[in-house]
Amino acid sequence: LELRPAGLAARFYAFVLDWVIRLVIAYAAALVFLLIGNVGVGVWLLLYFVLEWFYPVIFELSRSGATPGKSLVGLKVVMDNGLPVTPAASLTRNLLRVADFLPFAFGAAIVTMLLRRDSKRLGDLAAATLVVHQPQRPPKTRLEGVPPVAPARSLTPADQAALVALA
């Protein structure tokens, strides 16, 4: 199992894409909810709170383990051992984005990521998570016009099952 940690540039692009998505959702909701009046402003503020704090958590706990921005860049969040991220770890890493933001514009996160080989920010350190590049699957190749050849010795059912599982 090989995990390639994502660097600052890839994570920055993913962050910007996610930020734009959240901004578009918040703006569209504002157009709708502000027409309702004060109640609409309250509902919009609740929606904005959920978008800001739970948007990454919800997507990281999905099967892909990544927000839409991370998916577009080819990244995902996993635990340090390569297993899928747990709810507690995802919540921890995303709640600590506030600490990563300090002193200004994610300064702590940038410094921490540049000083570590695995490019972890403070939230990743506290939650024992890692943002990695998703492995690229090679395209399946088909051998057209090549006749099948029988093996030199017959394979046991266990060996056949292993080959089928590998394929």
Side-chain angles (χ1 to χ4, degrees):
L1 179 65
E2 182 178 316
L3 299 174
R4 290 184 345 173
L8 182 62
R11 290 179 71 167
F12 173 75
Y13 291 133
F15 173 80
V16 169
L17 288 169
D18 285 326
W19 179 74
V20 168
I21 291 169
R22 288 194 320 257
L23 191 66
V24 167
I25 293 170
Y27 184 74
L31 291 177
V32 173
F33 289 130
L34 292 179
L35 297 174
I36 300 172
N38 287 340
V39 173
V41 172
V43 172
W44 180 80
L45 287 172
L46 285 173
L47 174 70
Y48 188 76
F49 175 80
V50 169
L51 275 176
E52 191 61 33
W53 290 99
F54 296 108
Y55 169 90
V57 174
I58 292 167
F59 283 107
E60 287 172 3
L61 295 177
S62 68
R63 287 195 72 167
S64 66
T67 60
K70 284 185 181 79
S71 291
L72 288 171
V73 177
L75 306 177
K76 70 188 261 182
V77 180
V78 295
M79 298 301 292
D80 280 342
N81 58 8
L83 293 174
V85 68
T86 64
S90 180
L91 195 60
T92 301
R93 76 181 296 277
N94 287 296
L95 288 177
L96 282 173
R97 278 188 296 139
V98 173
D100 285 323
F101 184 78
L102 298 173
F104 177 73
F106 290 97
I110 292 169
V111 169
T112 306
M113 290 172 66
L114 290 175
L115 291 177
R116 296 185 53 89
R117 293 186 73 148
D118 54 6
S119 295
K120 285 187 173 190
R121 60 180 180 81
L122 296 174
D124 292 321
L125 290 170
T129 57
L130 187 62
V131 179
V132 296
H133 291 277
Q134 290 185 5
Q136 300 295 327
R137 296 184 187 262
K140 291 186 177 182
T141 57
R142 300 194 66 114
L143 299 175
E144 302 288 334
V146 177
V149 177
R153 66 180 180 96
S154 61
L155 299 174
T156 65
D159 291 339
Q160 292 175 12
L163 284 173
V164 169
L166 178 66

